[in-house]
Amino acid sequence: MPAVPTQPQKINLRTPQVMSVVQAQVESHYRSPLVEFLRASGHRLSAGGITVILAKAFGFCYGVERAIDLAYAAAKVFQGKRIFLLGEIIHNPEVNDQLTAMGIERLREVEGRYDLSGLTRDDVVIIPAFGAEIQTMHRIQEIGCQVVDTTCGDVMTVWKRVRQYRRENFTSIIHGKAWHEETKATASRAVCEDGGGHYLVVYDLEETDYVCDYIRYGGNKEEFLRKFEGAVSPGFDPDRHLERVGVANQTTMMRGETEEVQRRIQRAIEDRYGKENLSQHFRSFDTICGATQERQDALEELLRHEKLDLLIVVGGYNSSNTSHLAEMGVSRLPTYFIKNAEKLLSPQRILHWDLSKRQEVITEDWLPDQEVTIGITAGASCPNNVIEETIRRLYEFRGIRVDSLIPKTWPIKAL
């Protein structure tokens, strides 16, 4: 085996000098005086027959802010070096496009793996907020690249949990999306390089019930493996590896659904092995991201206590936490999941993401021409300026400039 290159010296990117420049740059790109005004004045704005109500929690979370800060800091500190990003820093197109404009190149996946073939030890690689598979991390270290790791602390908490399951010889059942970068990174830490340790990813309650039936009664192994192709560890055997299980989750899933996944699997284990033997066969731990839950709770409060005519959810279409916010609205009122204000084509037409069809669709006559109350929320990866542009566009449909609605005494200058 070739010798592993000496690892680059760790560099503190978050020095006061660097961060003062970075924060000014980040603010110039993503700050919104309008959103700040709404936060300070009850989250509500009314004019021209349109009332906009912002959820009390929305937009960037701490983990996203930290990831962006580190990426901007890397661009400043490592000027003159090639800087690469594994895929996307977060799931928001505006932010990722901004990093590209700053000269940070994106490494693309080829057949489910990032193409690292062009990297050299003189390069810098940024790890995104949702982390990276352990095999990818090892390969980058072998090359000897300078690594800027922006992995969210909540994600690393889940990694700690599945490693513990692995050490105790428990299979990790991960409630998440098998194709999502975070879940792939978590799953890679549920197994050992020598093949020890196993995982199974379940997407929803239907898949969970299938697994529970198998735990209780057994079943057709080949059918099971076909159903969960791409969502199980190499060598996974449901007849052996569902005897001792620990539940974990992708941090951006719906808390209520994850809790139900845990309850159903626990009941299945109790039915199979007896309640008195539960501790020998079952583990669980709450690893839902606090910011994700805060945004879900805030939207639930908005939906319950305000009489809304429609809901707009703003954020990247591949953002898991944003998709779940849209799911919360869809069954209760007209809900439009948009990437940015450009999707508000006119008062008659809106281009939005259909969760069931997994594609953009156009809805006609979406905005009532009488008085209307619109709820707005955004995922944890959506910057405030994108939310502002959405609000501005809504009022432009009624011929109103939002700037005119802000008191001249408001302390923040020019909107």
Side-chain angles (χ1 to χ4, degrees):
M1 176 181 291
V4 177
T6 302
Q7 293 304 302
Q9 179 183 1
K10 286 190 176 181
I11 297 175
N12 179 17
L13 300 181
R14 296 175 69 88
T15 65
Q17 182 181 10
V18 170
M19 293 313 298
S20 63
V21 175
V22 164
Q23 287 166 5
Q25 191 176 16
V26 169
E27 280 203 10
S28 72
H29 288 162
Y30 308 119
R31 175 173 171 259
S32 165
L34 173 61
V35 169
E36 291 168 14
F37 170 77
L38 287 173
R39 274 188 166 136
S41 54
H43 292 243
R44 186 184 299 257
L45 189 65
S46 295
I50 291 182
T51 296
V52 164
I53 307 176
L54 276 174
K56 290 183 179 177
F58 59 87
F60 278 176
C61 64
Y62 169 76
V64 165
E65 290 178 344
R66 174 181 172 275
I68 293 172
D69 284 352
L70 285 171
Y72 275 61
K76 177 173 175 56
V77 171
F78 297 113
Q79 291 182 40
K81 283 181 171 284
R82 296 196 307 170
I83 305 175
F84 295 92
L85 169 64
L86 287 182
E88 300 181 328
I89 190 75
I90 56 173
H91 286 151
N92 183 272
E94 281 76 17
V95 175
N96 289 299
D97 289 347
Q98 184 62 57
L99 294 182
T100 300
M102 292 164 58
I104 298 175
E105 301 180 51
R106 286 165 62 182
L107 294 169
R108 308 287 180 172
E109 285 189 285
V110 178
E111 297 181 352
R113 291 285 183 269
Y114 287 107
D115 182 5
L116 308 178
S117 59
L119 293 179
T120 73
R121 63 177 289 103
D122 295 323
D123 297 328
V124 179
V125 178
I126 301 174
I127 310 301
F130 18 76
E133 292 177 86
I134 199 164
Q135 299 90 337
T136 299
M137 296 297 295
H138 285 170
R139 179 58 187 140
I140 292 170
Q141 290 166 1
E142 288 173 358
I143 295 169
C145 301
Q146 179 78 54
V147 173
V148 177
D149 192 348
T150 78
T151 304
C152 176
D154 288 324
V155 173
M156 290 192 283
T157 296
V158 184
W159 295 353
K160 180 180 178 181
R161 184 59 47 179
V162 298
R163 286 192 185 105
Q164 181 179 332
Y165 292 159
R166 185 188 71 203
R167 288 193 297 270
E168 296 177 351
N169 199 28
F170 277 68
T171 295
S172 292
I173 297 183
I174 304 166
H175 177 219
K177 303 169 183 177
W179 60 89
H180 192 282
E181 299 95 324
E182 181 192 324
T183 294
K184 289 163 69 174
T186 297
S188 74
R189 286 160 174 84
V191 298
C192 299
E193 291 186 5
D194 62 6
H198 287 279
Y199 67 82
L200 163 68
V201 181
V202 294
Y203 173 60
D204 55 18
L205 295 180
E206 183 273 328
E207 290 190 356
T208 300
D209 286 340
Y210 184 93
V211 172
C212 289
D213 285 344
Y214 204 101
I215 290 172
R216 289 186 176 98
Y217 314 115
N220 185 315
K221 182 191 302 187
E222 288 71 25
E223 177 188 274
F224 186 104
L225 294 175
R226 283 195 301 271
K227 182 175 181 64
F228 291 100
E229 183 178 3
V232 295
S233 50
F236 185 88
D237 181 347
D239 292 336
R240 293 190 297 121
H241 299 135
L242 292 178
E243 293 180 355
R244 292 160 56 86
V245 300
V247 180
N249 59 275
Q250 183 178 317
T251 60
T252 52
M253 301 301 280
M254 296 282 287
R255 178 187 291 275
E257 187 173 30
T258 289
E259 290 174 343
E260 185 60 26
V261 167
Q262 292 176 345
R263 281 192 291 268
R264 294 187 187 191
I265 293 174
Q266 178 176 334
R267 286 198 297 266
I269 291 291
E270 289 176 347
D271 290 346
R272 176 68 184 271
Y273 299 103
K275 186 176 293 189
E276 68 278 8
N277 297 313
L278 181 64
S279 63
Q280 300 173 38
H281 295 273
F282 180 75
R283 298 278 190 275
S284 66
F285 191 78
D286 178 11
T287 50
I288 288 288
C289 163
T292 294
Q293 188 58 41
E294 184 182 30
R295 281 145 187 75
Q296 292 173 6
D297 291 345
L299 177 55
E300 180 63 30
E301 180 182 350
L302 180 65
L303 294 173
R304 281 188 180 181
H305 299 297
E306 299 289 352
K307 188 175 175 55
L308 304 177
D309 296 299
L310 60 95
L311 174 69
I312 294 177
V313 179
V314 190
Y317 296 152
N318 58 342
S319 166
S320 178
N321 75 87
T322 311
S323 297
H324 290 307
L325 293 174
E327 287 174 7
M328 290 175 65
V330 162
S331 62
R332 299 162 75 165
L333 79 170
T335 297
Y336 304 102
F337 181 7
I338 62 171
K339 184 165 58 177
N340 52 42
E342 294 177 2
K343 304 302 177 179
L344 306 180
L345 304 179
S346 72
Q348 292 76 39
R349 306 178 82 224
I350 185 171
L351 181 63
H352 61 103
W353 187 256
D354 186 301
L355 291 168
S356 59
K357 296 179 180 178
R358 299 191 61 78
Q359 65 182 35
E360 283 188 324
V361 299
I362 288 180
T363 294
E364 305 282 349
D365 300 320
W366 69 279
L367 183 63
D369 56 11
Q370 67 269 25
E371 289 196 3
V372 59
T373 300
I374 303 172
I376 296 183
T377 190
S381 54
C382 183
N384 283 353
N385 67 305
V386 175
I387 301 169
E388 172 175 324
E389 290 162 4
T390 300
I391 296 171
R392 284 183 175 276
R393 181 77 168 146
L394 288 170
Y395 282 104
E396 286 171 0
F397 289 153
R398 298 288 174 91
I400 297 171
R401 291 184 70 251
V402 166
D403 304 43
S404 66
L405 305 178
I406 310 302
K408 293 181 179 179
T409 56
W410 176 246
I412 297 178
K413 298 178 181 179
L415 295 174

